[in-house]
Amino acid sequence: MELKKWHQMRAEELQDMLGVQPQQGLTEEDVERVRKKNGWNELTEAKRISPIILFLNQFKDFMVLVLMGATLLSGMLGEYLDAITIIAIILLNGILGFVQEFRAERSLLALKQLSAPSAKVIRGGKLDVISTKLLVPGDIIVVESGDRIPADVRWLETNSCSVEESALTGESLPVSKHSQAIDEDEVPLGDQKNIGFMGTMMTRGTAKGIVVRTGMETEMGKIADLIQNTESQDTPLQHRLEQLGKILIIVSLALTVLVVVAGIMNGQPAVGMLLAGVSLAVAAIPEGLPAIVTVALALGVQRMIKRKAIVRKLPSVETLGCASVICSDKTGTLTQNKMTVTHVWVGGRDLEVTGDGYAPLGQILENKCPVELKNDQGLRRLLQIGTLCNNAEIVETVSDETGGKRKGKEEEETDSSWDLKGDPTEGALVALSSKMGMSPSSLNGLYKREEEFPFDSERKLMSVVVCHQGGRLLCTKGAPDVLLRKCSYILWEGKVVPCTGTLRQKVLDANEEMASKALRVLGTAYRDLRPQERVGSEGEAESQLIFVGLTGMIDPPRREVRDAIATCRRAGIKTVMITGDHGTTAEAIAHQLGIIPRGGLSMSGQELSGLSDEQLDAQVDHIYVYARVSPEHKLRIVKSLQRKGHVVAMTGDGVNDAPAIKASDIGIAMGITGTDVTKEASSLILSDDNFSTIVSAIEEGRNIYENIRKFIRYLLASNVGEILTMLFAMMLALPLPLLPIQILWVNLVTDGLPAMALGVDQPEKDLMEHKPRGAKENIFGRRLGWKIISRGFLIGLCTLGAFWLTLRIAPDQPGQLIKAQSVAFATLVIAQLIHVFDCRSSRSIFHRNPFQNKYLVIAVLSSLILMLAVFYIEPLQPIFKTVPLGLREWALTIVAASIPTFLMGIGSVWGGNRHKHRGNGRIVVKSTKISA
């Protein structure tokens, strides 16, 4: 016979299996025996990497090894300032990486803080308070409102018991608990209503239960295990930089050796060629690349903070730029996490409610016209019941100048200053009444509560008795189908009439209509009590009621999210909703927001459990909504998408989201509602919990990556130009066109400020109109490699041409070689400084305003001044082996330096114009999106 699961067992079966009686609890001998088998009730930690090893691991990256080689070469050349700079860059990047990884290891510590410090337990027939760590399976515990549940517990007795489980299950509302067995075998966590989970909070009522799982066997323990055993993903940027480093070292060393060998074979001094070769190798290795990347990311972080996003890991900013799927939690991210009444049904009339959140801003409309409450007895009674049969409070607060909150003046267009204290469902009813001027404060002076029969999950009703000048009143709200069975009358068209079968069916039809829209529906009823009538129980009170009407509420979508999702779709990014809520609610919100396209699918956690990884991979691209899912499900979804080649951004706020957030390419936590566990596992925190902020982050990430590509394009094309200048000269048996000191000076002048200014360039207008780049896209993809080689070839050819023409004028004249080398030096620098403006556009220099980036203009002017200094400051001339140039030399230099950029730019414009008019008379406006 198959062993039953905890939620399937009756109380007697539980007691027999665990050998305990609820009144007596375990004995100390029992406790010791069970603890030897099950261990302590705590989350155990995997063996941690020592901080020293973690720090040393930061220097295993291939690009770091390349930089160390550049440091050695710089030292050999006596360029100690360069060597010190490179070492500082290496240490800075190592420290940043160490801090990020060290902080990521703190997720489990944050998870432990969710554990209750103590628990009320019955042992040996006595109620005692002990450390949570000492609990064992079989212990009988008592939990009250406000207590954190200390272990996984199967409830034996419940009294109006509700538990806040959103951090674990994603359920947006507190869950009512009961003690009855559940017969089904596979039941999602959110539907295991006879189980209490470790780390969740009891918000109402009291309960007694028997501990069934402790420590790492609890659902919280399973999450801790997932976090520890889930490896963080390297970012696409890290992959690309490692790839770039390998290519650079191989190519630069090969070309350098070729230059040295060619020079020696053509009669150049071996020592001089070796020194020139080492200089070329240092110039070819972009030691400034990590610094530029770090600065570009750091400045992006500052811009992100202004956009309400806090970055915890620098590379994550760029990773967002290539995200192809965003897996988003529903509650609080896509929705406002503020239950709002949107529909009212009273006396056969369907009424619409405007406004959202808890602010008293909005109206009740009938056929688009405002309802007059004064002449509407049914609506007035419904609002009255919703306000009196209620324990929630809405508090008005506004931020003062210091950033704190204080009581204050009503804000006209925002509800951000209205905070709920109590149950979200009851808060929605208070907000509804306040919109019509019937606030709790206006009724408190007229009605005084005598008695309350709290809501519980078995009877699904709540009732209160209030007295007023005219007598006493019983107000009841709850599940419409249950409440209707308690009603003998109905308030119809302002009159109390018998509740006939026909009228009952109309109520049920209205309830079904609201439920089909994924609304949470509550019914309201009342009856007048006689002056001396006493109601000693719920059964006595909740009978012969007068049914009034229905209220339908939902957690509404954020206003700006629909546009943000549309922007994602245009950018080729798929949005997926993953939630612990019910499927009907999730699908309704997804349709409102435009998440599900035609033919898109949704799936429940139960259906997901029945799929193998291969079956899930086959369907995952077509699924847009996952409902009623567990933490393991979320992790499976993220990994399946990654196996399909997607770069996945995962958002969430609860403990249940942490494993998937850590496993995703970019983990995003909610700053307001997020738990510390989720924040520690994340790379990015949204300070406003808003999905649209993610879209802003994606735009920022794309721009940062494009700026990094601009820098690489500029730097490598310049370096290729330097190497080819030397290589062509050696192959043609010409003298050295550039001296080692000049090569190093070019490297310093052109790798510095202009490259840094490219790192903060503004985005091109159509940045968010392109599909995300592939996770495995080569750093030289999208023709970047061709642009680097072609521009570098032209720069090298034009530099050598200027050198040869100057040398040819008077080859035997004393000092002519120095003048030709000076012309080559100037041509190379100016060609690179012109080329930097070409690198701002994916098309050509003519497609963007060259003065738009003021930092770049200033940087280029600074580099020009530094270049001119070595020509016209006499003490520097013998150091750099330069001479002042005349007008003829400068004219030759400027013309030769301009050819590479303007020749390719004119070709790009001409090619773009041809593409506009090509193909069956169809005009393609953008040359980057050509279709036949």
Side-chain angles (χ1 to χ4, degrees), residues 634-654:
K634 295 185 179 185
L635 192 57
R636 282 191 67 195
I637 294 165
V638 168
K639 289 186 174 180
S640 177
L641 287 165
Q642 289 173 333
R643 286 194 297 270
K644 296 289 284 187
H646 292 289
V647 175
V648 183
M650 175 73 196
T651 76
D653 55 2

Side-chain angles (χ1 to χ4, degrees), residues 783-800:
R783 302 183 73 245
L784 181 62
W786 161 249
K787 290 176 182 176
I788 289 170
I789 293 172
S790 61
R791 269 54 160 193
F793 179 86
L794 287 173
I795 288 172
L797 198 62
C798 292
T799 300
L800 187 63

Side-chain angles (χ1 to χ4, degrees), residues 367 378 424 449 640 770 925:
N367 298 324
R449 184 180 293 191
S640 177
H770 302 292
V925 178

Side-chain angles (χ1 to χ4, degrees), residues 856-877:
L856 184 59
V857 173
I858 294 171
V860 167
L861 290 175
S862 301
S863 295
L864 283 172
I865 292 170
L866 288 172
M867 181 198 70
L868 293 173
V870 303
F871 287 103
Y872 295 104
I873 296 178
E874 289 189 12
L876 296 178
Q877 291 171 0

Side-chain angles (χ1 to χ4, degrees), residues 292-307:
I292 296 293
V293 170
T294 300
V295 169
L297 293 174
L299 292 174
V301 166
Q302 296 303 312
R303 291 192 294 270
M304 289 303 304
I305 290 173
K306 295 179 182 178
R307 292 186 167 198

